[in-house]
């Protein structure tokens, strides 16, 4: 049993014990040559159902690969706000996360204006192959005004923007 197997089992067990939440999964790109961002692998699903689906989904995830974390968080922001898909065009993406009228855009999971969201980022490593984030964040409304922009590493500024923005 590897450390990754233990982490997967613990995550699935914790989610299965949390009945009142909806769970979604954003997966990091694992394309070898051009790992950019991530995609919505599982649109919001009741936790009891998500636990079994996640077990299967996490089985196939490599424990080592590129980690475009900031680019993936940009994709999360796009999804939460119903914005256009940037990095999330992957055949494995959950199509129910897309707007049925305009599938080039996400369908925001917010059903009420005050619905709280918690984002848990689980990764086995440091950000890597994350070079596109500094350009992608400039498309986010008010990003530069709220954070002052970012340089090569956008992860801290992006986390700050997500916590302070009204999506």
């Amino acid at each position: 049993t590897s450390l990754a197997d233990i982490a997967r089992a613990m995550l699935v067990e914790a989610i299965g014990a949390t009945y009142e939440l909806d769970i979604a999964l954003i997966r990091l790109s694992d394309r070898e040559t051009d790992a950019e961002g991530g995609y919505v692998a599982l649109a919001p699903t009741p936790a009891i159902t998500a636990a079994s689906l996640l077990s299967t989904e996490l089985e196939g995830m490599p424990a080592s690969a590129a980690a475009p974390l900031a680019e993936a968080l940009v994709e999360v922001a796009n999804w939460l706000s119903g914005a256009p898909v940037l990095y999330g065009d992957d055949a494995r993406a959950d199509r129910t996360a897309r707007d049925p009228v305009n599938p080039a855009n996400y369908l925001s999971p917010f059903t009420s204006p005050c619905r709280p969201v918690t984002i848990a980022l689980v990764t086995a490593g440091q950000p890597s192959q994350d070079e596109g984030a500094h350009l992608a964040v400039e498309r986010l409304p008010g990003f530069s005004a709220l954070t002052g922009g970012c340089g090569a590493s956008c992860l801290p500024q992006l986390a700050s923007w997500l916590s302070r923005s009204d999506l």
Side-chain angles (χ1 to χ4, degrees):
T1 303
S2 72
L3 189 56
D5 292 334
I6 294 168
R8 285 183 194 113
M10 290 174 64
L11 183 60
V12 168
E13 183 178 336
I15 289 169
T18 311
Y19 298 105
E20 65 275 354
L21 297 178
D22 285 347
I23 305 294
L25 175 67
I26 309 298
R27 207 177 147 168
L28 295 177
S29 173
D30 57 1
R31 294 185 299 246
E32 293 281 329
T33 57
D34 65 342
E36 290 188 316
Y39 60 93
V40 180
L42 178 65
T45 305
I48 193 70
T49 304
S52 63
L53 295 172
L54 283 177
S55 181
T56 303
E57 182 69 32
L58 295 174
E59 276 289 312
M61 283 190 179
S64 62
L69 302 179
E71 291 175 0
L73 277 181
V74 167
E75 200 67 14
V76 168
N78 288 347
W79 168 53
L80 293 176
S81 64
V85 175
L86 179 60
Y87 297 115
D89 269 330
D90 190 291
R92 299 166 293 178
D94 186 338
R95 295 296 170 201
T96 63
R98 300 287 183 95
D99 183 333
V101 176
N102 182 3
N105 287 356
Y106 283 112
L107 179 64
S108 174
F110 292 123
T111 54
S112 69
C114 297
R115 183 178 181 187
V117 171
T118 299
I119 299 171
L121 185 61
V122 180
T123 179
Q126 298 292 318
S128 63
Q129 293 187 20
D130 217 9
E131 296 80 20
H134 72 283
L135 296 173
V137 294
E138 296 305 323
R139 298 181 192 148
L140 299 174
F143 180 84
S144 291
L146 200 59
T147 66
C150 63
S153 173
C154 290
L155 206 49
Q157 292 88 349
L158 186 53
S160 173
W161 180 84
L162 280 166
S163 72
R164 297 170 20 195
S165 293
D166 185 12
L167 300 176

